[in-house]
Amino acid sequence: GQSLEQPSEVTAVEGAIVQINCTYQTSGFYGLSWYQQHDGGAPTFLSYNALDGLEETGRFSSFLSRSDSYGYLLLQELQMKDSASYFCAVRAYSGGYQKVTFGTGTKLQVIP
Amino acid sequence: NAGVTQTPKFRVLKTGQSMTLLCAQDMNHEYMYWYRQDPGMGLRLIHYSVGEGTTAKGEVPDGYNVSRLKKQNFLLGLESAAPSQTSVYFCASSYGQTNSYEQYFGPGTRLTVT
């Protein structure tokens, strides 16, 4: 089976930097995605890492270490609108298909 | 493009009633998914489809059935609703196997079973 772990809640100050960690256990690993979901809204795709290293997209960056089964999402210059839940999701080969399994999410609260 | 749409947005059912949730996408995606989201549980995959006419079980398939008669539509059915099926249901789609890491989600259906 597959399992993912991420903190349930994180609080950070506006303008600061916050890191949301994700550890996973799976076989047939392909890559790690990150999604953002505002309260009452739908998840939206943020980033994907298939190889080790850092991927940067504006204020958001995502990191992957395949050897450590670990990744993180880094949010810089935090804004109030970044308050949302963030999900990591593992893409892995299972039963003939590449399946995606979501973590339970990290609720980020940005405070003034 | 409308992206992924879901019908209805809200529904209240009584135990034992049946209903069908409709998902439609206009992006010509091969893969479609149905998830349920409960507090503290994240997104759990119910069923998915890798192409027109195909369906497969996900993590929590019991009590649900699906059909993909047309490429753009993916239907989720509850034959006999139970209070444990009270949840928010999301439909999603992706281009295909190589792009399954990037899924596009619909706005969700909030279902309450009393």
Side-chain angles (χ1 to χ4, degrees), chain A residues 42-91:
Chain A
T44 56
F45 172 78
L46 290 176
S47 67
Y48 176 69
N49 294 70
L51 303 175
D52 286 355
L54 192 69
E55 295 279 344
E56 298 181 59
T57 308
R59 294 187 298 113
F60 293 4
S61 302
S62 56
F63 172 83
L64 176 66
S65 169
R66 296 172 69 104
S67 60
D68 295 324
S69 298
Y70 163 75
Y72 65 72
L73 181 69
L74 192 72
L75 293 79
Q76 302 181 72
E77 301 172 12
L78 280 173
Q79 302 176 8
M80 298 301 290
K81 67 178 181 180
D82 296 330
S83 292
S85 291
Y86 293 85
F87 295 87
C88 59
V90 163
R91 177 171 169 244

Side-chain angles (χ1 to χ4, degrees), chain A residues 35-37 41-45 87 102, chain B residues 37 43 90 103-106:
Chain A
Y35 286 78
Q36 178 192 61
Q37 184 181 28
T44 56
F45 172 78
F87 295 87
F102 286 81
Chain B
Q37 186 173 39
L43 290 156
F90 286 101
Q103 297 183 16
Y104 294 76
F105 283 80

